[in-house]
Amino acid sequence: MRKYIIIAALALAACNGIKTERAAEAAGQKATVYYNGDIVTMEGDTATYAEAVAVKDGRILFVGAKDEAMKQAGEGHEMVDLQGKTLLPGFIDAHGHAFNAGFQSASANLLPPPDGNGMNIDSVVTIMQRWYVDHEKAAHKVGWIIGFGYDDSQLKEKRHPLATDLDKVSNTLPVIAIHQSGHLSAVNHKALELIGYGPDTRDPAGGVIRREKDGKTPNGVLEETAGQLALLQIFAKVDSTASEALALAGVDAYKRFGFTTIQEGASTAGIDKTWRSLAEAGKLDVDVASFPVLVISRDYMDAYGSRKEYDGHFRVAGVKITLDGSPQGRTAWLTKPYVVPPPGQPKDYRGYPSIPRNSLVDSLVEQCFIKGWPVLAHCNGDAAGDQFIAVVSRAEAKLGK
């Protein structure tokens, strides 16, 4: 397969033979000319190729003929032979979680092959044990042993790790293994104790605490909001320096795949504070578009609102409303029952809404209409999609398009 070279500086303004108005701004810096490859401009409906691209000070000077690119690059420019590889414009992330990508990079890698070695429950336990040995100082600082990426459907046992399994990692520190979807987690008994989950604990709205055969005792598997409470405890112990490091690690993860605009698709006021601090310090070299979770960010959004322009490569672009869960975890809200329900659920189980009260969803969406905030809606199941369509229809009837 042909290798790809992704140049983060390339934007979609790449039209053959056109010199950008930014050429003069980059005067005085050494330029680079890329040539001898499939330089795809993404202009038009069919593939359009250029002979060369001249870049200076992180900006495109020229796209077109090689001789003209060299001329526009000026004296002392560097020539880069692509050797037949492909060069593309930077990618725009349509759905992502930049901060979580950094958090994932700092956690034990529980992904199944080929991205990791999470093949069975024993390997998940071993990977987290080794991570703790290598990151003991960090683990004690936040007070948790953290892993990310296991997939029950790809584990040999075809089930989630349980509290009894994760007790083998540690029975003195809380342990959390986050599902590949991000919508479920598995924790040990120390974590259940710390969160305060016991036999008499009711399931939180929009989440489920899975139970043992007695139907009461938590078994360690937490769905949706039930697991988010554990993550909130972890993030509460992450200081500003560590938060910035995680955010920048997320940026680096995206940049490796050629993204020049990345999304913070379920943000909070605290996470946005980190992004804004990085932007003000000039530490962002890609655009970050944030969409705070509106149900917990209404006051924050009233204070800051959404913006069309980036400031230091950061902007609040709109809001996020999550209406259900994940098909992988069988928490997505469906109109028809799952063929195979999760353990302990009846045959007519259809998942569940994240926000059961339509009146609250109405209130959230109406606020967006009134304020002019763009909305990203998480609707994985068709019942959640129906809910959102109905809510938007009611808002339009009341407030107009």
Side-chain angles (χ1 to χ4, degrees), residues 35-77:
Y35 72 100
N36 189 29
D38 290 334
I39 299 173
V40 187
T41 68
M42 302 304 291
E43 178 191 15
D45 295 330
T46 57
T48 303
Y49 296 89
E51 189 177 10
V53 173
V55 177
K56 200 174 189 180
D57 193 28
R59 301 183 185 277
I60 299 169
L61 296 180
F62 180 84
V63 181
K66 178 182 174 183
D67 290 345
E68 183 63 20
M70 295 170 65
K71 179 180 177 181
Q72 295 293 338
E75 294 183 3
H77 62 264

Side-chain angles (χ1 to χ4, degrees), residues 308-327:
K308 292 185 178 180
E309 302 297 328
Y310 289 91
D311 183 5
H313 290 288
F314 173 77
R315 72 184 177 107
V316 176
V319 298
K320 181 74 171 281
I321 297 176
T322 299
L323 297 178
D324 71 341
S326 155

Side-chain angles (χ1 to χ4, degrees), residues 189-202:
H189 282 101
K190 186 66 177 180
L192 290 171
E193 175 188 334
L194 185 66
I195 302 168
Y197 287 163
D200 298 326
T201 306
R202 298 179 62 181

Side-chain angles (χ1 to χ4, degrees), residues 50-386:
E51 189 177 10
V53 173
V55 177
K56 200 174 189 180
D57 193 28
R59 301 183 185 277
I60 299 169
L61 296 180
F62 180 84
V63 181
K66 178 182 174 183
D67 290 345
E68 183 63 20
M70 295 170 65
K71 179 180 177 181
Q72 295 293 338
E75 294 183 3
H77 62 264
E78 179 184 2
M79 300 293 291
V80 175
D81 186 347
L82 298 176
Q83 299 180 352
K85 298 183 178 72
T86 299
L87 184 148
L88 297 165
F91 298 150
I92 297 174
D93 177 21
H95 176 185
H97 308 280
F99 190 88
N100 283 358
F103 181 74
Q104 177 180 351
S105 69
S107 305
N109 178 11
L110 306 181
L111 291 168
D115 301 304
N117 295 310
M119 298 173 289
N120 52 40
I121 302 293
D122 285 343
S123 64
V124 166
V125 170
T126 299
I127 291 167
M128 297 190 77
Q129 288 171 334
R130 290 174 179 169
W131 181 90
Y132 174 59
V133 171
D134 294 336
H135 301 83
E136 185 174 358
K137 184 176 179 180
H140 281 281
K141 185 175 181 179
V142 298
W144 287 75
I145 298 172
I146 306 164
F148 188 100
Y150 83 89
D151 183 355
D152 57 301
S153 69
Q154 296 189 64
L155 294 177
K156 181 180 179 181
E157 296 84 353
K158 302 297 181 183
R159 66 170 177 85
H160 296 269
L162 303 176
T164 50
D165 299 311
L166 297 181
D167 284 344
K168 299 174 185 176
V169 178
S170 176
N171 55 19
T172 57
L173 274 179
V175 176
I176 182 169
I178 303 169
H179 190 265
Q180 189 176 46
S181 69
H183 285 261
L184 294 93
S185 301
V187 299
N188 67 349
H189 282 101
K190 186 66 177 180
L192 290 171
E193 175 188 334
L194 185 66
I195 302 168
Y197 287 163
D200 298 326
T201 306
R202 298 179 62 181
D203 290 343
V208 170
I209 304 168
R210 292 194 183 179
R211 316 282 174 161
E212 295 181 3
K213 291 182 179 180
D214 62 8
K216 294 183 178 181
T217 306
N219 69 6
V221 181
L222 308 175
E223 299 179 6
E224 305 298 336
T225 56
Q228 290 165 16
L229 292 175
L231 294 176
L232 287 174
Q233 292 198 22
I234 295 172
F235 287 133
K237 295 186 178 182
V238 178
D239 60 26
S240 60
T241 300
S243 291
E244 290 188 6
L246 290 173
L248 291 175
V251 169
D252 288 342
Y254 274 85
K255 284 165 59 178
R256 286 198 298 272
F257 291 92
F259 286 92
T260 56
T261 298
I262 63 180
Q263 187 185 113
E264 187 58 80
S267 191
T268 64
I271 291 176
D272 273 12
K273 182 180 179 181
T274 297
W275 289 118
R276 192 170 280 107
S277 176
L278 292 170
E280 291 172 352
K283 294 182 179 180
L284 295 179
D285 55 3
V286 297
D287 289 337
V288 178
S290 172
F291 292 83
V293 178
L294 185 55
V295 72
I296 59 171
S297 305
R298 300 180 80 165
D299 291 342
Y300 168 70
M301 286 302 300
D302 276 334
Y304 285 93
S306 61
R307 301 284 189 273
K308 292 185 178 180
E309 302 297 328
Y310 289 91
D311 183 5
H313 290 288
F314 173 77
R315 72 184 177 107
V316 176
V319 298
K320 181 74 171 281
I321 297 176
T322 299
L323 297 178
D324 71 341
S326 155
Q328 298 101 310
R330 287 173 285 180
T331 57
W333 186 22
L334 310 180
T335 56
K336 295 181 180 179
Y338 281 86
V339 175
V340 180
Q345 295 293 348
K347 290 183 178 180
D348 62 351
Y349 171 81
R350 299 184 294 112
Y352 48 89
S354 294
I355 307 177
R357 289 192 295 122
N358 277 328
S359 60
L360 176 55
V361 186
D362 281 323
S363 175
L364 294 171
V365 172
E366 285 182 13
Q367 186 179 14
C368 296
F369 269 68
I370 294 168
K371 300 288 187 177
W373 298 331
V375 182
L376 297 184
H378 175 108
C379 306
N380 264 329
D382 57 341
D386 290 344

